């Protein structure tokens, strides 16, 4: 275990050095942009996103039954992750006119399909946990007497 930790530490140090060496090659305007986006992301996360997630989680725990917390939390985490990944490309189909292979798909519909799959699975898990399937099975296949 200690060997693995040392190996991970060395890998982390090497990756940090690689990232710093890439930053040192940038000009001042690019460095200011990197700093602005990095600080903006941290501030946006700590001021808005994290408190909103905590409030939503506390509210859900008070309003929803305990058996549905985990599937709904997974669905919400997947929704936020997929949405954040899709934000840069949503509505920008064929954005680079000189290269039709860039952003050449209907990404909005891809996001809708992915979210439908996620929430469909969440719905199936909630139905399974609620016991509706067991009631249906008992009615269609009664236990032998």
């Amino acid at each position: 275990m200690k060997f693995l930790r040392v190996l991970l530490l060395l890998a982390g140090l090497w990756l940090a050095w690689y990232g710093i060496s890439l930053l040192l090659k940038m000009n001042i305007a690019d460095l200011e942009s990197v700093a602005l986006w990095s600080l903006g992301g941290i501030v946006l996360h700590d001021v808005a996103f994290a408190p909103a997630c905590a409030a939503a989680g506390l509210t859900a725990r008070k309003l929803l039954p305990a058996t549905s917390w985990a599937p709904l939390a997974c669905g919400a985490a997947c929704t936020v992750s997929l949405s954040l990944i899709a934000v840069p490309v949503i509505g920008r189909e064929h954005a680079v006119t000189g290269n039709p292979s860039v952003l050449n798909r209907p990404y909005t519909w891809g996001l809708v399909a992915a979210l439908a799959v996620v929430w469909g699975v969440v719905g199936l898990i909630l139905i399974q946990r609620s016991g509706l399937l067991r009631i249906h099975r008992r009615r269609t296949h009664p236990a032998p007497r």
Side-chain angles (χ1 to χ4, degrees):
M1 191 68 165
K2 192 172 183 175
F3 174 74
L4 182 62
R5 288 181 181 169
V6 170
L7 198 61
L8 288 172
L9 176 68
L10 291 174
L13 289 173
W14 182 80
L15 286 172
W17 171 249
Y18 180 69
I20 290 170
S21 69
L22 290 178
L23 284 174
L24 292 176
K25 294 176 185 174
M26 292 181 166
N27 60 30
I28 296 298
D30 289 342
L31 286 175
E32 287 175 357
S33 179
V34 167
L36 181 67
W37 278 97
S38 297
L39 291 175
I42 291 169
V43 169
L44 182 66
H45 176 270
D46 290 350
V47 172
F49 187 68
C53 288
L58 289 173
T59 303
R61 284 183 70 102
K62 290 193 182 279
L63 297 177
L64 300 171
T67 56
S68 63
W69 293 344
L72 290 174
C74 289
C78 288
T79 300
V80 169
S81 300
L82 289 170
S83 300
L84 288 176
I85 290 169
V87 161
V89 295
I90 293 288
R92 296 186 63 210
E93 288 89 11
H94 307 293
V96 182
T97 55
N99 187 352
S101 66
V102 176
L103 300 175
N104 61 351
R105 294 193 172 99
Y107 293 98
T108 304
W109 287 110
L111 176 64
V112 169
L115 292 177
V117 168
V118 166
W119 286 103
V121 170
V122 169
L124 288 175
I125 292 170
L126 290 176
I127 288 171
Q128 187 265 334
R129 287 188 174 191
S130 70
L132 291 176
L133 291 178
R134 277 180 263 152
I135 293 170
H136 178 71
R137 264 189 240 136
R138 277 191 220 137
R139 287 184 183 162
T140 57
H141 303 292
R145 295 180 188 190

